[in-house]
C-alpha cells in the first residue's frame, strides 16, 4: 500500500500482515492521525491507501523499497542460485525507484545474466511476488546474449536500472 498506489481494506491489511484486526485497527489509526494514510468508506469497508498529500510518504516509500522491496528480496533469493553473474531491475519499476515520474508500475521486470537454472530463477521470482504483491517477470540472458544488439537491449541499456547482484555490471 505504501509502495504503490493501490488501496486495501483494513481487513485485508490485517490478514496480509498476520495481525489481529484490533491491532491493525489501532496502528492504522495512528498512521491516519499522522497523515501517512488516507481512507475512504465503501459501504462499511474502510479502504486505505498512502496519502498523496503527506510529505512523509515519498521518503517512507524509499526506505521500504530498500529495506523490504524487490531488490532486497530478490538479492536474498538469487544468492542461493548458482550461475547468476548479474541481476538488475529494469522497466517502469526501476524508473520509479530512480525518481522518474510516471504511473505506478503494474509489475517488476528483472534481468538475470548468467547460466542459472531457469526454473530456480522463476521460483525465486514467484516467492518475491508473494511479498511485493506484483508480478515479477524474469528475463534470463547469457553474457553473450546480454552483449548483443537488439532494440530490446538498446531500450534496457538506455533506461534506468537498479542493481540486485553484480553491482552496476551491465554490458
Amino acid at each position: 500500500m505504501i509502495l504503490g498506489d493501490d488501496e486495501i481494506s483494513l481487513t485485508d491489511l490485517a490478514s496480509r500482515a498476520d495481525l489481529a484486526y484490533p491491532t491493525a485497527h489501532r496502528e492504522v489509526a495512528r498512521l491516519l492521525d499522522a497523515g501517512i494514510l488516507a481512507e475512504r468508506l465503501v459501504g462499511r469497508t474502510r479502504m486505505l491507501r498512502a496519502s498523496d498529500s503527506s510529505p512523509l510518504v515519498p521518503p517512507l516509500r524509499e526506505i521500504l523499497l530498500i529495506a523490504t522491496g524487490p531488490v532486497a528480496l530478490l538479492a536474498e533469493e538469487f544468492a542461493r542460485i548458482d550461475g547468476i553473474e548479474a541481476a538488475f531491475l529494469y522497466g517502469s519499476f526501476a524508473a520509479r525507484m530512480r525518481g522518474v515520474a510516471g504511473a505506478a508500475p503494474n509489475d517488476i521486470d528483472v534481468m538475470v545474466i548468467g547460466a542459472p537454472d531457469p526454473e530456480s530463477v522463476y521460483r525465486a521470482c514467484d516467492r518475491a511476488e508473494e511479498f511485493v504483491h506484483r508480478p515479477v517477470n524474469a528475463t534470463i540472458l547469457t553474457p553473450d546474449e546480454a552483449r548483443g544488439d537488439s532494440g530490446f537491449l538498446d531500450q534496457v541499456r538506455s533506461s534506468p536500472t537498479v542493481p540486485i547482484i553484480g553491482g552496476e555490471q551491465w554490458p
Side-chain angles (χ1 to χ4, degrees):
M1 164 176 48
I2 295 288
L3 291 177
D5 295 330
D6 52 332
E7 285 186 310
I8 187 171
S9 72
L10 181 56
T11 303
D12 287 343
L13 178 64
S15 176
R16 279 190 194 177
D18 197 25
L19 293 172
Y21 183 88
T23 303
H25 185 272
R26 182 178 59 248
E27 296 305 320
V28 162
R30 289 179 180 152
L31 294 170
L32 287 165
D33 287 345
I36 294 169
L37 293 183
E39 71 177 331
R40 70 182 178 98
L41 292 176
V42 178
R44 295 184 59 198
T45 303
R46 293 174 71 184
M47 297 301 294
L48 305 164
R49 63 177 168 72
S51 174
D52 295 331
S53 62
S54 174
L56 299 173
V57 170
L60 282 172
R61 278 188 175 136
E62 189 172 331
I63 291 167
L64 288 171
L65 281 170
I66 292 167
T68 64
V71 173
L73 293 169
L74 290 169
E76 184 178 318
E77 290 287 343
F78 289 167
R80 299 183 194 123
I81 301 172
D82 291 332
I84 296 177
E85 296 178 22
F88 57 90
L89 299 182
Y90 67 97
S92 59
F93 197 91
R96 297 302 93 62
M97 283 187 74
R98 293 293 192 192
V100 177
N106 295 321
D107 62 359
I108 299 168
D109 297 308
V110 60
M111 179 81 66
V112 175
I113 300 172
D117 172 55
E119 285 306 311
S120 296
V121 172
Y122 299 138
R123 282 192 303 270
C125 290
D126 288 344
R127 287 188 295 273
E129 189 174 309
E130 289 178 32
F131 288 96
V132 297
H133 303 287
R134 283 189 173 87
V136 178
N137 308 308
T139 300
I140 304 170
L141 299 176
T142 66
D144 286 343
E145 290 171 330
R147 285 188 288 275
D149 289 322
S150 74
F152 167 70
L153 291 175
D154 290 344
Q155 176 65 36
V156 172
R157 286 185 189 108
S158 67
S159 300
T161 61
V162 177
I164 298 170
I165 291 178
E168 296 288 340
Q169 289 181 18
W170 168 239

